[in-house]
Amino acid sequence: MSALLAVEEAQARLLALKPPLGADNIGVAQCAGRYLAQDVVAGRDQPAAALSAMDGYAIRFADMPGPWTMAGEVAAGTAPAHALGPGEAIRIFTGAMLPDNADTVVVQENVIADGARLTLTGDGPASSGRHVRARASDFAAGALLLTAGCRLSPGALAAAIMGGAGDLIVGGRPRVAILTTGDELVAPGRALAPGQIPDSNGTMLAAMLAAEPADVTLPLRVRDDRSVLANILGDMARRHDVIVTVGGASVGDHDHVRGALDDAGGQLDFWKIAMRPGKPLIAGRIGDAILLGLPGNPSSAFVTATLFLLPLVRYLAGAAAPLPEVSQAPLAVSLGPGGARRDYLRARLDKGLLTPCDGQDSGQTQPLISANALIVRDIGAAPRAAGELANYIAIA
């Protein structure tokens, strides 16, 4: 366990500790943000008939340029009363079904109605099919709409519903407990004695998980006591899928996470990653629960949660691609060579350019205010000049 693991190997080993959770069949109104567990195939054409895309008059293009005889009207949600005859027009509204034989809509601004007579006054449609949404122009019955493992965004839910779905089969919601460790920690907003600090990490991690399909137990502060921590870990493991500890992951006399994992009957899988910040990261199992021990410095906790905690929760919830996506953008400033560990620089992506934040110390929180990206600098990477491309991970 003395060698530092590469980030990719550590991520793969973490996700291998537990399979994704079982699936749930729930109503579409409760599916936002969940990960689809089964492909969604359209059960109907959308639209199911040719529809008007504008308020106007349905005609046969062959009868252009008119005039036409009015033969009724049709609104959205009703069926046309009869087919369109030669020289006839029907008043039609956006979303309404075209009558049989109609193939074009003249917008209402380009005609004038005088009793039953309709006359073209402006530019008419240049071709058949204008202002008409053809049947199945969105999708046809039998089309694959959504694939298993995708996140159900508002748009994805709209498509599933239009395809006929009333409920969906989605991945489960991991139960996540957050434990912050350290005698120095005090609840947010409380008065501080000398040597004490506010517990920012617990709230920060809970906020990072708020957008994920997870049931999160509110952060619990645990003092630096190995036996107390071991008892809490054992209890949490019986009721959670993931236990996240923050702090106590290094090798100091008051760092008890690794020892408490052993005392709770758990098994260590890996410890220490070749990354900066975030080297002292721990992963193991206690029963069916995964223990993920994050370092206690705020930026270290944020970066490791981005690279390990969020992917783990997404994987357990059924995501097909749980790992953060690496993109590229040009640098606004030059960067020196990479070091002995992979660096994740808190940075700002603005107007297409990446700028590292002032202050990269792992104990600082101010850079996290403006950071919306992590610049990824591989071990021993060559220097980069301003304007050259750099890898980055987008963060919220």
Side-chain angles (χ1 to χ4, degrees), residues 327-342:
S327 303
Q328 287 191 320
L331 292 163
V333 298
S334 61
L335 292 179
R341 289 180 276 157
R342 180 181 289 174

Side-chain angles (χ1 to χ4, degrees), residues 363-386:
Q364 293 180 301
T365 55
Q366 187 168 342
L368 298 177
I369 298 172
S370 60
N372 62 2
L374 297 175
I375 296 176
V376 183
R377 297 285 286 148
D378 282 332
I379 295 170
R384 286 282 191 273

Side-chain angles (χ1 to χ4, degrees), residues 115-167:
R117 183 180 174 86
L118 187 71
T119 305
L120 187 67
T121 59
D123 294 333
S127 60
S128 176
R130 288 290 292 162
H131 308 305
V132 173
R133 295 172 182 149
R135 177 172 182 163
S137 56
D138 191 359
F139 53 78
L144 177 63
L145 293 181
L146 303 169
T147 57
C150 75
R151 189 177 179 109
L152 290 168
S153 65
L157 285 173
I161 292 168
M162 281 297 193
D167 50 49

Side-chain angles (χ1 to χ4, degrees), residues 263-278:
D263 296 347
Q267 289 185 318
L268 179 69
D269 188 273
F270 63 83
W271 181 31
K272 298 182 181 178
I273 314 299
M275 62 181 291
R276 184 174 56 183

Side-chain angles (χ1 to χ4, degrees), residues 291-317:
L291 172 74
L292 181 62
L294 307 183
N297 282 321
S299 285
S300 297
F302 183 91
V303 171
T304 51
T306 299
L307 296 174
F308 293 94
L309 175 58
L310 296 183
L312 175 60
V313 169
R314 292 166 183 164
Y315 170 77
L316 294 176

